[in-house]
Amino acid sequence: MPELKSDREIAVMREAGRLVAEVLDLMGRHIAPGVTTRELDALAEDHIRSRGGEPLFKGYRMGGHTFPASICASIDEVVVHGIPSDRKLVAGQIVSIDVGATLDGYCGDGARTYAVGAVDPLKRKLMDVTLAALEAGIDQARVGNRLGDISAAVQQTVEASGFSVVRDLVGHGIGRRMHEDPQVHNFGTAGTGPLLAKGLVLAIEPMVNAGDYRIVFKPDGWTTVTADGSPSAHFEHTVAITGNGPEILTLA
Ligand code: MG
């Protein structure tokens, strides 16, 4: 059973979410040709710690691998979980930055995809559609709806534009831990799944491929790429279901 958060807990999560949004704004001001993702990672970590927070991804363990950085930086065909490196960003790329932070014991998690300089129309449309899919999913995060309503809204928005949603990675409940129940799939059937209740907090995060939905995991244990090499975009918000509808917590 997913854990429901009190108004007091959501108030703390609002601060953690604000910190995440500040980092994503900061990334947007620094992303440019010639910048390395390692430089972006250092900026992100410094900002999180300067506000009294802890990076959530650094040291995170999965399948025997430890994530070494505070952000995931995923360029072009990298879907998610790209490891920051000394590779310089190049005009025409898109780069997805995912960041998590804990503040006062609660987590915030968010992601955006940014254009590096001018990008081609396909990548621009991919980013626009992925953001629209996130917004459509968030709009379904209401008391009395079902989890499948979120998933279906994301999938329909993406597929109506001729793109595909990644099936093997999901959004998630979030609170004291980054990954809580339930899993939030980016595909599904409206009217199915558990009822959404006041106090449920979800990280909703469509990952959208310009081509086929299939992905491949690289041997480093993290880097996840599209199987067909097509570009991929990712937007994520931490969202609380309140008596007044969805509240996005990852806002600056
Ligand atoms: Mg997440």
Side-chain angles (χ1 to χ4, degrees):
M1 277 300 284
E3 183 190 296
L4 301 178
K5 276 73 181 179
S6 68
D7 290 348
R8 187 199 64 79
E9 289 178 292
I10 288 173
V12 179
M13 293 191 75
R14 195 176 288 125
E15 295 308 310
R18 186 194 313 277
L19 176 53
V20 165
E22 288 171 4
V23 173
L24 291 170
D25 285 351
L26 181 69
M27 298 293 98
R29 292 196 294 276
H30 283 86
I31 285 170
V35 173
T36 72
T37 51
R38 197 187 301 280
E39 289 164 348
L40 295 172
D41 180 56
L43 287 167
E45 180 169 356
D46 286 351
H47 186 78
I48 292 168
R49 295 195 190 282
S50 77
R51 294 264 277 99
E54 287 282 331
L56 200 46
F57 299 171
K58 197 169 193 173
Y60 188 82
R61 293 185 63 79
M62 186 177 74
H65 298 273
T66 302
F67 197 77
S70 298
I71 61 170
C72 301
S74 305
I75 298 169
D76 284 344
E77 77 284 0
V78 182
V79 178
V80 287
H81 303 164
I83 299 170
S85 75
D86 293 323
R87 178 180 172 189
K88 287 183 164 66
L89 295 174
V90 174
Q93 291 175 332
I94 56 173
V95 58
S96 302
I97 304 289
D98 194 345
V99 62
T102 340
L103 193 64
D104 297 329
Y106 286 85
C107 300
D109 191 3
R112 297 180 199 163
T113 300
Y114 307 81
V116 184
V119 299
D120 67 40
L122 177 74
K123 289 179 176 176
R124 173 57 60 191
K125 181 181 173 194
L126 179 66
M127 291 193 293
D128 292 346
V129 167
T130 307
L131 181 57
L134 172 59
E135 289 168 346
I138 290 171
D139 192 53
Q140 296 297 318
R142 297 175 185 279
V143 174
N145 278 6
R146 292 182 182 274
L147 193 58
D149 294 324
I150 297 175
S151 305
V154 169
Q155 182 179 19
Q156 284 165 14
T157 304
V158 170
E159 294 183 353
S161 297
F163 297 142
S164 60
V165 288
V166 170
R167 310 293 176 100
D168 296 338
L169 297 165
V170 295
H172 47 95
I174 181 169
R176 289 186 175 277
R177 289 175 298 117
M178 173 162 60
H179 293 132
E180 299 185 352
D181 286 340
Q183 293 193 342
V184 184
H185 291 88
N186 291 308
F187 61 97
T189 306
T192 65
L195 276 169
L196 303 178
K198 179 178 184 297
L200 185 63
V201 182
L202 301 173
I204 303 174
E205 49 177 321
M207 290 152 266
V208 177
N209 297 349
D212 188 88
Y213 71 88
R214 275 167 284 219
I215 58 174
V216 173
F217 298 95
K218 292 287 194 182
D220 63 21
W222 296 105
T223 309
T224 304
V225 299
T226 56
D228 63 6
S230 67
S232 186
H234 180 211
F235 282 86
E236 176 179 23
H237 273 306
T238 298
V239 179
I241 296 173
T242 78
N244 300 315
E247 180 187 349
I248 298 173
L249 300 180
T250 34
L251 287 180

